[in-house]
Amino acid sequence: MLFPSSQLLAGFAVTAFVQLGVAGARYQLQENYEGLDFFSKFNFITVDDPTHGFVDYVNEGEARKSGLIWETDKLVYIGVDHSNIIGAWCRRGRPSVRLESKASYTHGLIIGSFWHMPGGECGTWPAFWTYGPNWPNSGEIDIIEGVHKQPKNMMALHTSDNCLVDGKQSGTWLHHDCSPATPFNAGCGVQSNTDDSFGTGFNNKRGGVYATLWNSHGIQIWFFPRNKIPKDITRGDPNPDTWGTPEGNFSGSCDFDAHFKNHWITLDVTFCGDWAGGVWGQSGCSFTNTFWLVESIKVYQERTKSHAVDESAESFNLLSQPDNGEGPIAG
């Protein structure tokens, strides 16, 4: 069994978010993924990894049996097999988990609070992201993504043709074209300039919060270290207007409503694959720290607008995508 020691949680001084009930708040809580019912709101995706990683995504029953997942009323653990030697004789690779929300979203303010993320270990490729059906025509938003010992987060969008972006941000632009025309199909990427925004450094600082605002005008991503989380987030009354310059600001001439719709929230860990396999030099490996420790993922909508959760779109997620050798990029 792969359950961490009972001391794992002792180092995390958890502050629970206040449930939204703030009169006059601009954003209304639409869905809250946390605690004991966290996994009931996700599908466990078990298809072969679209990014060709050395990974075996398992179902919920196998994940629980093997200790890859567990939950309390405060925290959710999502890990990988770290006790077995996994060699080329394995059909798919190291057991791991890929979660996709049962509900899909068009627009919203997505706020994820994490005390720990995978990263900093051999060939790991963790991601927290969203995507829609018929990839890339409904778009992809990579909120947290990186490989191996990468110290800073990478953010990106992926779309079909004719989506160019720009915007004032604290991160560094890598590409402005979100289409498959970018080198290695990298999309329009932004490198964070914030130390400890990913991997080992992120974990050493007790994690933090990633907030993503998506509307018709664009997509903005902020990162707040644990000791700098805005009070409006902790009290359940988020106000992006007060958060300052985002890490990634994807705005400009792109028609965002045409390129982004009906997204599932996705959380996973793969290994090697199309990106991580190209930067990892073989070395001694231990995957005991390759896990997500989630406090919550919350989805808010503006009170003045109506963007309902689309439960009917569930049947169109990766479980039903054609196997044409292509697929969503992240993790």
Side-chain angles (χ1 to χ4, degrees):
M1 302 294 283
L2 305 181
F3 293 100
S5 73
S6 60
Q7 296 179 349
L8 175 65
L9 303 183
F12 298 97
V14 179
T15 302
F17 280 127
V18 178
Q19 295 300 310
L20 182 64
V22 181
R26 177 180 172 186
Y27 289 91
Q28 180 175 2
L29 183 64
Q30 183 176 24
E31 186 59 85
N32 185 8
Y33 300 89
E34 70 173 3
L36 298 176
D37 65 348
F38 181 91
F39 292 110
S40 69
K41 299 177 181 180
F42 285 91
N43 288 316
F44 284 70
I45 305 301
T46 59
V47 300
D48 289 345
D49 181 20
T51 63
H52 312 108
F54 186 67
V55 63
D56 181 14
Y57 289 128
V58 301
N59 60 35
E60 181 175 5
E62 182 61 30
R64 289 193 181 280
K65 178 181 177 181
S66 302
L68 305 188
I69 62 170
W70 52 257
E71 66 277 84
T72 71
D73 61 343
K74 300 295 185 184
L75 293 172
V76 173
Y77 173 93
I78 306 163
V80 305
D81 183 322
H82 59 76
S83 64
N84 294 302
I85 296 175
I86 309 295
W89 60 85
C90 296
R91 187 181 74 85
R92 297 206 295 183
R94 184 169 297 278
S96 182
V97 173
R98 174 173 174 144
L99 301 176
E100 294 183 3
S101 61
K102 293 179 178 179
S104 67
Y105 304 90
T106 298
H107 295 182
L109 176 59
I110 302 172
I111 300 179
S113 177
F114 304 91
W115 288 87
H116 189 280
M117 70 166 68
E121 296 177 313
C122 305
T124 51
W125 181 357
F128 171 53
W129 53 298
T130 72
Y131 82 103
N134 193 23
W135 188 92
N137 295 307
S138 298
E140 173 179 329
I141 305 170
D142 298 332
I143 302 169
I144 302 175
E145 189 174 22
V147 297
H148 198 41
K149 297 184 179 297
Q150 182 177 309
K152 297 179 180 179
N153 187 43
M154 295 281 288
M155 299 152 280
L157 306 183
H158 296 271
T159 67
S160 53
D161 293 338
N162 302 315
C163 181
L164 299 176
V165 294
D166 204 348
K168 181 182 178 181
Q169 60 186 24
S170 63
T172 299
W173 283 107
L174 302 178
H175 300 286
H176 294 272
D177 184 354
C178 304
S179 78
T182 53
F184 306 104
N185 199 6
C188 47
V190 174
Q191 168 78 63
S192 172
N193 287 319
T194 301
D195 291 334
D196 305 326
S197 57
F198 186 85
T200 300
F202 177 93
N203 298 332
N204 288 342
K205 297 293 181 64
R206 301 188 305 153
V209 163
Y210 273 90
T212 303
L213 178 62
W214 165 20
N215 56 34
S216 298
H217 306 293
I219 296 165
Q220 290 80 42
I221 300 174
W222 289 263
F223 167 60
F224 303 107
R226 182 63 52 187
N227 62 349
K228 295 182 179 180
I229 299 172
K231 292 181 179 179
D232 54 40
I233 290 180
T234 60
R235 68 173 177 257
D237 181 20
N239 183 6
D241 292 342
T242 67
W243 295 347
T245 304
E247 299 246 312
N249 185 3
F250 303 91
S251 54
S253 61
C254 180
D255 185 342
F256 287 92
D257 285 344
H259 285 286
F260 296 89
K261 50 186 174 291
N262 299 327
H263 278 207
W264 301 284
I265 297 172
T266 306
L267 200 63
D268 63 38
V269 184
T270 187
F271 304 91
C272 298
D274 296 337
W275 180 12
V279 299
W280 170 37
Q282 185 75 26
S283 60
C285 301
S286 169
F287 298 101
T288 56
N289 287 317
T290 305
F291 63 89
W292 296 95
L293 199 59
V294 185
E295 181 174 27
S296 66
I297 299 170
K298 297 188 177 186
V299 180
Y300 294 85
Q301 297 291 352
E302 284 194 78
R303 286 182 177 274
T304 57
K305 296 182 179 181
S306 177
H307 295 289
V309 174
D310 184 2
E311 293 283 1
S312 65
E314 176 184 342
S315 61
F316 295 98
N317 68 3
L318 189 60
L319 293 168
S320 61
Q321 295 295 302
D323 184 6
N324 57 7
E326 301 178 351
I329 297 298

